[in-house]
Amino acid sequence: MTKLFRRFLHGTSKPSFTLIAPRSLPTQKKSMLQKMGSIFTTGRQFALQYIKGGQQLSKNARLVGEIKKRISKKGYIPTRNESLLIYDTEDDFRKVIPFFMILIVLPESLPFLLMRGSDIIPSTCTSQEQI
């Protein structure tokens, strides 16, 4: 028997492919103040994420501008990473205007649109958990 198979049989370590749902004990009902606090915290986290994503998008735009100048002046051939940065940044800029229009006009509908798909959100405004 292999080591992995022995471990699996004896339960000394769980294989990495096994996902077990977390068990939670019944909790007490939250008060209205606790619910409001958690809603405020979640909203604050999303706002910070969008702000940081916007800052990253502006940094990417500056880098893309520099790369495009090098391409046009010297006949520079961009690396694969630079080409991907150019493509992703241009794609993100196409998503910015509809995203912020929805964020300003209909902010309460944003979670439903996020569940539908992340095609509307710029890639710099998403976290690893949302991908």
Side-chain angles (χ1 to χ4, degrees):
M1 280 199 277
T2 64
K3 285 183 182 180
L4 180 64
F5 188 66
R6 268 189 247 130
R7 285 183 190 163
F8 183 70
L9 284 179
H10 298 296
T12 56
S13 72
K14 294 177 183 156
S16 61
F17 57 84
T18 303
L19 297 175
I20 298 172
R23 295 181 183 168
S24 60
L25 298 173
T27 58
Q28 296 177 353
K29 287 189 173 183
K30 291 183 179 181
S31 69
M32 183 60 94
L33 186 61
Q34 289 173 331
K35 288 179 185 178
M36 293 297 287
S38 67
I39 290 171
F40 177 75
T41 303
T42 304
R44 183 172 176 261
Q45 289 173 348
F46 276 117
L48 289 174
Q49 182 178 338
Y50 296 147
I51 289 169
K52 288 180 183 180
Q55 291 171 347
Q56 184 64 45
L57 188 59
S58 67
K59 288 178 186 177
N60 289 352
R62 273 187 249 125
L63 287 173
V64 166
E66 292 172 7
I67 294 168
K68 284 187 175 183
K69 282 180 187 176
R70 280 188 272 160
I71 291 171
S72 66
K73 287 184 180 178
K74 302 176 186 174
Y76 176 77
I77 298 174
T79 63
R80 183 176 190 282
N81 288 338
E82 290 172 339
S83 297
L84 288 174
L85 180 68
I86 291 170
Y87 175 76
D88 288 341
T89 303
E90 289 174 351
D91 191 40
D92 286 342
F93 268 107
R94 280 187 226 110
K95 297 176 184 179
V96 166
I97 294 173
F99 174 70
F100 281 111
M101 290 296 289
I102 290 171
L103 190 63
I104 292 170
V105 176
L106 300 168
E108 61 275 349
S109 68
L110 192 61
F112 300 112
L113 293 172
L114 295 178
M115 284 189 284
R116 184 174 171 264
S118 63
D119 294 339
I120 196 167
I121 302 174
S123 64
T124 57
C125 295
T126 57
S127 65
Q128 290 295 335
E129 295 86 30
Q130 292 174 337
I131 296 175

